[in-house]
Every structure is written in C-alpha cells, then in structure tokens.
Amino acid sequence: MSRSFYPPQRTLMGPGPSDVSPRVLGALARPTIGHLDPLFVELMDEVKALLQYAFQTDNQLTLPVSAPGSAGMEACFVNLLSPGDKVIVCQNGVFGGRMKENVERCGATAVMVQDDWGQPVSVDKVAAAFDAHPDTAILAFVHAETSTGVRSDAEALCALARERGALSIVDTVTSLGGIELQVDAWGADAVYSGTQKCLSCIPGLSPVTFSPRAVERIQNRDHKVQSWFLDMQLVMGYWGGGGKRAYHHTAPVNDVYALHEALLMLREEGLAAAHARHRHNHEALVAGLEAMGLAMAVAPEHRLPQLNSVLIPDGVDDAAVRTILLREFDLEIGAGLGALAGRTWRIGLMGFASSERNVLYCLAALEAALAREGAPIKAGAAVPAAMAVFAA
Ligand SMILES: *Cc1c(COP(=O)(O)O)cnc(C)c1O
C-alpha cells in the first residue's frame, strides 16, 4: 500500500510555481459543485470580470483555458493562424523558441527576430523584419522572458504591429500581476498568461484574452482550428456568458475557485500597489545580492522585478548551492536555462512570494550556502543592505 503524500512547506522563489497563499489553498478545498450549476456559472462570470481587471481590458473573449500556460500559448496560435500565414516571432530566451514551434505546427512560416539572451526584443529589428516581410499577418513576442529575467517593450511592439496591419500575440505568463500590462491601451490582440507566476495561484490554468480584431479573425477562418479542445469558437459556447452555456469540457471547478480567490486578492490590493510591491522587494533583493558581492545578469533598465537573474560566481558549484537551499532551507530558486545554464540563478519574487520576509530569508540562506561552498562573498552585508531599502 502506498501512503498519502504530504509535501514539505517550501518557499518557492524560482521561475514558478510561486508560493500559493493560504487563502487560495483554502478556496481550493471547498466543496466541488457541478460545472453547469447556476452558482458555478455566476462564479465564471466573476472570474471573467476579475480577469478583465487584471488584463486591463474590456475584451469579451476573456477566460481561463483549462490547462497550463503552454496551452494558452497554443490557443492563441492555433486560433489566429492558418496554413501559409507569415508570423514574425521574436526570440530572446526559451519561450520565443516555443512560439516558433507553434507557428510551424500550424503550417505557417516563422520569420525569426533574434536577440541575445539577457537583452530585450529590439523594436528596430522587428520594424526591419516588417519592412522585409510586409505580408506578415502576426507579430508574436514574450513580454516578460522568464528564462532570462528581461522585460521587453510590449507597448511599442503592439503599436508597431498595429501600424503594419498585423495582429499581436503576447506572452504575459510572467508579467500578469507583477508589472504593468495594459491590454486595451497598448492594443494587444491575443494575450495569454498563467496562474502560477505572479497570480500565485496553483499551476494548471491559463488566462487568455482576445481583442475584437482577433475575434473577427477567428470568426472569419476558412480553415477549422486544428485543435478541438482549444478551438475558441467552441469554448466560447461554454464561457461566452448570457446564461446559455453548452457543455464543452468539464471545467476544473476547484481550480476556478482558487483562481477566483487569487484574482480577488489582486483586486483588493490593486494593480498599482501590487506592481509597487514587486518593484520594492526587487530593489531590496538586488541591494542585498550586490552587497554580498554578487552581480546581476541583466542591465537595470531591462530587469523584471519578479524574476532576478544573478551571475553565479566563478568556481561555485551551481547545483550544490541549490541543493543546500532546498534540502536545508526548504528554499527553491531556479537554475539558468539554455544559453545561461550554469551561469545564472533565477530568483523569483512573484505574487504572494514577493514579500520582505522572503527577500531577507533568501539572502540569509544564500549567504549561508555560498559560505559553505567556499565562495568569496562578503559575509554579513546582504541582510542589512536589504533592510536599508525597506526602511527608506
Ligand atoms: C512559465 C511560462 C510559460 C509556460 O507556462 P506553463 O504553465 O509552464 O505551461 C510560458 N511562457 C513564459 C514566459 C513562462 O514563464
């Protein structure tokens, strides 16, 4: 006989999932009701309104896809693209590569705009790609590149797409709730996110929102969407509102309770206050890391407050340090990915995990682990440096 699984209480400061608040976990444990129960239908309407607030949009087609962020990504691509379409895909980290995969699996052509890992997407290069490919239908890019900790200028990129008559697909998996995101004001067309990053909800849902222009493109398709599950024309019948919901799939009822609670917490705090909290905790963490003698991997003007890439000092064993943090401090931080594997750590300060407590805990634990590994760090400086930022 196997036994029940009781996970340890970790502190999650990696690239996601982030710590889930007790309020959200409590919501998850409430009684399951039917997914067509009138009370659940009401809850779905509330979730839609709360998502519209989080995304800053009036888009009617706004809903959580019943699967993780990668499914939201796929939903945007399969619904907007048809075979033969040309798509400019910006790549400055892991997730742009996944966008390319999606484009090609739709039978469309990806025109790649590459930037170095650790740099934002170059708006000038994208403009040049539009010059070279004026028949481009879609521009796809990542707002907050979680693999490197870099923010790209989503407002400028969405404006450029509009100017060139293209629609935009924007990955906001790590940006939603952590940094400014204005879907309507920026004119973004198909936007997807995730629940386990700055919303601090459990993993497994992907909020998406489609502009009226994107909806028009979906409705005028002459080619069936290749995915039955992610076909928004079918999903709309279930999430569309107006009381007449058709069965499409069984909504993950308790997950939706959890998302509702997480979005309620975001609205109670307010977007501006949530963004300011992420920024402030980021500044304190960076002050502490630098006081210890570590260097950040990304230039200050491009840094994401919710995902901090720090360079691993020469001669320090990446995995050994992360193992000490996990085994002895129950603290998870992220390893570098792709071009940055073995060169950086990624320290998340996302959602509920973006707290003064976590900043101080991480600095103290990292200092202890680095000292144990014989790294040349300045002992005792990190926590006071962070506290000075909090006191300011
Ligand atoms: C985490 C992440 C994803 C994928 O989300 P999953 O929920 O893991 O499928 C996509 N894009 C970015 C930028 C991410 O950080």
Side-chain angles (χ1 to χ4, degrees), residues 15-16 67-71 73 95 98 142-147 171-174 192-197 203-205 350:
S70 304
M73 176 188 284
F95 293 99
R98 293 198 180 172
V142 179
H143 183 202
E145 189 35 273
T146 323
S147 61
D171 179 320
T172 67
V173 175
T174 285
Y192 61 90
S193 191
T195 43
Q196 77 277 28
K197 314 254 171 144
L205 293 174
M350 297 184 178

Side-chain angles (χ1 to χ4, degrees), residues 13-334:
M13 298 180 70
S18 58
D19 285 340
V20 179
S21 84
R23 245 180 92 173
V24 171
L25 289 175
L28 194 63
R30 289 174 198 150
T32 303
I33 60 176
H35 71 114
L36 294 173
D37 186 308
L39 289 176
F40 187 68
V41 172
E42 265 177 44
L43 183 74
M44 286 167 71
D45 285 337
E46 269 203 42
V47 167
K48 175 178 165 181
L50 288 165
L51 281 177
Q52 287 171 322
Y53 169 72
F55 277 126
Q56 293 286 285
T57 183
D58 293 326
N59 288 342
Q60 283 310 303
L61 188 54
T62 301
L63 57 99
V65 171
S66 303
S70 304
M73 176 188 284
E74 189 148 343
C76 290
F77 283 91
V78 298
N79 281 279
L80 260 55
L81 271 55
S82 293
D85 283 340
K86 201 179 260 187
V87 183
I88 295 177
V89 175
C90 307
Q91 180 167 22
N92 61 338
V94 166
F95 293 99
R98 293 198 180 172
M99 289 178 150
K100 176 172 188 273
E101 272 290 318
N102 272 279
V103 170
E104 290 170 350
R105 283 166 195 240
C106 291
T109 305
V111 174
M112 298 304 291
V113 172
Q114 301 280 354
D115 280 290
D116 287 342
W117 291 45
Q119 292 295 324
V121 172
S122 158
V123 180
D124 289 343
K125 281 192 202 170
V126 176
F130 271 116
D131 289 342
H133 302 277
D135 54 338
T136 296
I138 310 253
L139 168 67
F141 67 94
V142 179
H143 183 202
E145 189 35 273
T146 323
S147 61
T148 62
V150 167
R151 176 204 311 239
S152 288
D153 188 344
E155 183 174 12
L157 290 166
C158 289
L160 182 59
R162 292 232 155 187
E163 201 182 292
R164 303 302 179 101
L167 297 184
S168 51
I169 294 181
V170 189
D171 179 320
T172 67
V173 175
T174 285
S175 50
L176 185 68
I179 53 175
E180 190 186 14
L181 169 60
Q182 301 272 355
V183 167
D184 284 3
W186 296 352
D189 292 300
V191 181
Y192 61 90
S193 191
T195 43
Q196 77 277 28
K197 314 254 171 144
C198 294
L199 294 182
S200 272
C201 185
I202 53 164
L205 293 174
S206 178
V208 295
T209 185
F210 293 88
S211 73
R213 295 199 314 164
V215 171
E216 194 184 315
R217 188 177 169 91
I218 294 170
Q219 283 167 341
N220 291 332
R221 292 180 64 91
D222 50 18
H223 220 91
K224 265 193 183 176
V225 170
Q226 71 200 55
S227 164
W228 177 87
F229 184 66
L230 296 173
D231 184 342
M232 283 298 140
Q233 300 238 41
L234 304 176
V235 174
M236 272 185 251
Y238 181 53
W239 272 94
K244 19 177 226 306
R245 290 185 198 246
Y247 167 63
H248 176 258
H249 66 280
T250 307
V253 171
N254 293 55
D255 295 11
V256 176
Y257 300 165
L259 176 59
H260 178 260
E261 199 71 28
L263 290 168
L264 210 53
M265 287 176 67
L266 179 62
R267 203 186 56 187
E268 285 166 6
E269 181 177 19
L271 282 173
H275 299 160
R277 173 170 55 83
H278 280 87
R279 201 165 46 243
H280 198 56
N281 290 326
H282 156 76
E283 284 163 3
L285 180 76
V286 171
L289 292 170
E290 289 180 342
M292 211 188 290
L294 300 178
M296 303 304 290
V298 174
E301 65 274 24
H302 304 314
R303 283 176 196 160
L304 291 173
Q306 63 273 50
L307 199 285
N308 299 272
S309 280
V310 56
L311 294 172
I312 300 172
D314 285 342
V316 169
D317 184 340
D318 166 22
V321 170
R322 282 185 292 107
T323 300
I324 293 172
L325 293 178
L326 191 68
R327 295 239 178 100
E328 294 177 36
F329 294 92
D330 275 312
L331 173 64
E332 179 178 282
I333 66 169

Side-chain angles (χ1 to χ4, degrees), residues 329-369:
F329 294 92
D330 275 312
L331 173 64
E332 179 178 282
I333 66 169
L337 281 184
L340 299 175
R343 296 182 46 216
T344 59
W345 287 309
R346 292 178 301 150
I347 303 177
L349 284 171
M350 297 184 178
F352 185 68
S354 178
S355 63
E356 294 192 9
R357 167 198 180 278
N358 278 4
V359 168
L360 299 178
Y361 185 59
C362 178
L363 289 171
L366 187 59
E367 182 175 324

